[in-house]
Amino acid sequence: MSELLSLSASEQARRIAEKTVSATELCDAYLARIDANDADLGSYLRVDHEGARAQAHAVDAAVCAGDSVGPLAGVPIALKDLLVTESLETTAGSKILEGWVPPYEGSVVRKLRSAGAVILGKLNLDEFAMGSSNEHSAFRPCKNPWDLGRVPGGSSGGSAAAVSASLCAMSLGTDTGGSIRQPASFCGLVGLKPTYGRVSRHGLIAYASSFDQIGPLATCAEDAALMLEVIAGGDILDATCSTEPVPAYQAACKRDVKGLVIGIAKEMEGEDVDTAVSAAVAAAIAELESAGAEVRRISLPHTRYSLPTYYLLATAEASSNLARFDGVRYGKRKGNEEALQNMYEKTRGAGFGAEVKTRIMLGTFALRAGYYDAYYKKAQQVRTLIADDFRKAFAEVDVIASPTAPTTAFPFGAKKTPIDMYKADVFTLSCNLAGLPGLSMNCGFDDSGMPIGLQLLAAPMQEETLLQCAAAYQRQTDWHTRRPNFGGQP
Ligand code: GLN
């Protein structure tokens, strides 16, 4: 196993640019490790050997010719299979899209390619990003490299498992209600969900459009910063994407946390949190305090409404977004094409999994004529109250710290009901309801050796503060340097 794979993505990029490592050598090392180990893990849905090698060769040729190369030149990454990739099958983890080869490239993927990234393949996920464990993938389960009997989290489970197992240097996930941060927490990584509008959603298959954001999963804060610098910024193809200039996120990683105020909300603690998780989170906050941060108690009174509010609004948006999968334009078609209703029913009946159908029905119910005021409108009003709580809190504090999830990664099959599964998101949902940036990073391990995540939230467009805190913490601790004993150490 090549020791190159244990280097950070930033270090890999440096070595490629200074010609001490070739992009081809690095790409081949990852491909070999994937081929040898991913059958046990299930993190990839598709590996693009040929495409990745071609990109790596192009980077090497450019470096040799002395051409200027992008900030990710030669860095092998992989993408959640919810991101549209031109000429490379994209399924959203669903049978309904099986075999769909997109005719266009999503904006973020285009940015990655022009920054020189080598795209190794497409990663496993819960179908249409609906889930918290990757158990809803229509194709195969993805496991947690720290313990193959446990879930990697979801919905970006493949994105987290692959980085954690050194099957790519970094990845992109998407986060609608926690799907970057919770798998990052379960797999011991940094996961960053950007402010709503910070990153273009063009080419992101929509789950709940007013929540969805694309963001990086990486082994350290510097790598997440490097990736965010590439993917953030305005996009004419997404009207909700902000044109605010992109700050120097990597520079933010060099700042210390002296004088920074960290808020702890009583509503984001509680008896449902594992004692090992509470203890590790408290120790991490104490660590930041010893680095010069100040801690203040705050209140976010409407937090307890986050879960019902999110599941009402997200399912309502999903029921509308997923109406386009009807067998007419995309993917698999079933039934009698002469009878439109029959084709819709057969295509959707066979194409969608049980969880997706549940959500479509919940959302359709909430949007029924006559119910709008009672459900959707009410939930939107509560969403405003939740955002107001944060606005008030961020007048006093710079970041809010909490556990990312109440537990560490759980065994397959442990969540018996949908509600039990939804509760895995209690601490991550309010961030998306308010459109804030949020980060999870590893802050220790429980007695079974499973990683624990610390969540940090900041005011809109303050990703720099999150990265500053995470990098400062990682300078003082070494949790983030530990890798699972999977497939032999890289
Ligand atoms: N687990 C949450 C859900 O199932 C969040 C998913 C996500 O962020 N994509 O909706």
Side-chain angles (χ1 to χ4, degrees):
M1 171 60 47
S2 168
E3 65 155 54
L4 292 175
L5 308 197
S6 54
L7 300 174
S8 70
S10 315
E11 184 57 29
Q12 290 175 351
R14 268 192 291 277
R15 293 197 189 184
I16 288 167
E18 68 192 21
K19 294 195 227 174
T20 51
V21 171
S22 83
T24 303
E25 173 190 3
L26 188 61
C27 174
D28 283 342
Y30 276 108
L31 290 173
R33 185 165 164 85
I34 295 167
D35 292 342
N37 297 292
D38 197 52
D40 295 336
L41 194 65
S43 65
Y44 279 83
L45 290 178
R46 222 152 300 108
V47 182
D48 185 16
H49 294 84
E50 222 176 282
R53 286 204 181 100
Q55 289 159 34
H57 287 163
V59 168
D60 285 335
V63 172
C64 283
D67 297 346
S68 73
V69 291
L72 287 176
V75 178
I77 62 161
L79 308 172
K80 184 177 187 176
D81 201 24
L82 201 61
L83 299 175
V84 167
T85 42
E86 187 174 5
S87 309
L88 185 59
E89 186 188 2
T90 300
T91 66
S94 180
K95 293 273 182 215
I96 208 163
L97 274 181
E98 199 172 8
W100 182 54
V101 179
Y104 72 101
E105 195 94 284
S107 292
V108 157
V109 181
R110 211 162 5 83
K111 285 185 176 194
L112 288 172
R113 288 198 198 280
S114 57
V118 169
I119 297 174
L120 296 172
K122 306 296 290 288
L123 298 164
N124 208 345
L125 70 157
D126 285 299
E127 185 175 359
F128 284 103
M130 297 175 186
S132 311
S133 68
N134 221 120
E135 289 168 290
H136 299 314
S137 166
F139 299 107
R140 56 179 182 148
C142 174
K143 298 171 187 161
N144 190 315
W146 291 92
D147 176 348
L148 298 179
R150 293 174 193 252
V151 303
S155 61
S156 313
S159 302
V163 176
S164 176
S166 307
L167 301 182
C168 59
M170 284 194 278
S171 66
L172 285 186
T174 69
D175 193 313
T176 304
S179 280
I180 291 173
R181 290 159 287 153
Q182 186 254 24
S185 165
F186 282 13
C187 292
L189 300 172
V190 172
L192 174 58
K193 179 248 171 226
T195 308
Y196 184 77
R198 181 69 288 188
V199 176
S200 168
R201 291 181 298 110
H202 170 259
L204 164 59
I205 297 174
Y207 161 14
S209 311
S210 75
F211 297 79
D212 302 338
Q213 270 293 291
I214 300 168
L217 289 105
T219 56
C220 61
E222 285 79 8
D223 285 0
L226 168 67
M227 177 74 105
L228 187 62
E229 258 179 60
V230 170
I231 63 172
D235 180 14
I236 196 149
L237 298 173
D238 174 5
T240 63
C241 189
S242 166
T243 52
E244 251 186 63
V246 177
Y249 294 120
Q250 294 178 87
C253 292
K254 301 204 166 69
R255 293 180 208 140
D256 64 33
V257 292
K258 285 198 186 70
L260 212 82
V261 185
I262 300 175
I264 304 176
K266 58 176 182 293
E267 295 83 1
M268 292 173 101
E269 304 172 314
E271 347 59 83
D272 291 342
V273 183
D274 278 1
T275 48
V277 172
S278 303
V281 165
I285 294 168
E287 191 74 48
L288 287 167
E289 228 180 334
S290 78
E294 186 190 316
V295 172
R296 207 171 288 174
R297 308 289 309 185
I298 57 163
S299 174
L300 299 166
H302 296 92
T303 299
R304 68 194 180 97
Y305 302 112
S306 297
L307 201 138
T309 306
Y310 168 84
Y311 276 97
L312 212 142
L313 294 174
T315 56
E317 293 189 24
S319 79
S320 165
N321 273 326
L322 271 59
R324 75 193 70 177
F325 303 106
D326 55 9
V328 176
R329 282 201 197 84
Y330 314 98
K332 288 257 168 83
R333 177 180 298 174
K334 292 239 156 53
N336 176 2
E337 295 181 21
E338 304 302 314
L340 193 60
Q341 188 65 27
N342 177 281
M343 186 186 84
Y344 287 162
E345 282 171 14
K346 290 279 189 311
T347 299
R348 290 167 69 83
F352 289 136
E355 182 64 23
V356 173
K357 286 178 186 160
T358 304
R359 306 243 183 150
I360 291 173
M361 283 189 280
L362 282 172
T364 307
F365 178 81
L367 291 176
R368 272 175 64 180
Y371 288 7
Y372 175 83
D373 284 343
Y375 295 116
Y376 187 82
K377 186 172 165 204
K378 189 59 78 186
Q380 287 288 30
Q381 288 167 333
V382 179
R383 184 178 194 175
T384 302
L385 294 175
I386 290 169
D388 279 346
D389 281 357
F390 281 114
R391 236 188 312 279
K392 286 179 198 139
F394 286 123
E396 276 185 59
V397 302
D398 299 300
V399 295
I400 296 172
S402 73
T404 305
T407 67
T408 55
F410 43 85
F412 284 95
K415 304 291 178 192
K416 301 290 181 219
T417 68
I419 302 284
D420 280 346
M421 187 71 84
Y422 298 171
K423 284 186 184 162
D425 307 321
V426 278
F427 299 133
T428 49
L429 299 171
S430 56
C431 163
N432 304 71
L433 284 159
L436 309 175
L439 176 145
S440 177
M441 65 173 159
N442 188 11
C443 67
F445 293 83
D446 70 6
D447 289 346
S448 321
M450 299 310 291
I452 295 170
L454 170 74
Q455 175 175 254
L456 300 172
L457 304 178
M461 296 293 171
Q462 298 307 311
E463 284 81 359
E464 283 171 284
T465 316
L466 300 178
L467 290 161
Q468 171 187 356
C469 276
Y473 179 77
Q474 292 180 339
R475 274 194 295 277
Q476 286 197 198
T477 56
D478 67 356
W479 302 116
H480 66 289
T481 61
R482 306 199 189 176
R483 298 268 69 83
N485 185 12
F486 169 82
Q489 297 289 343

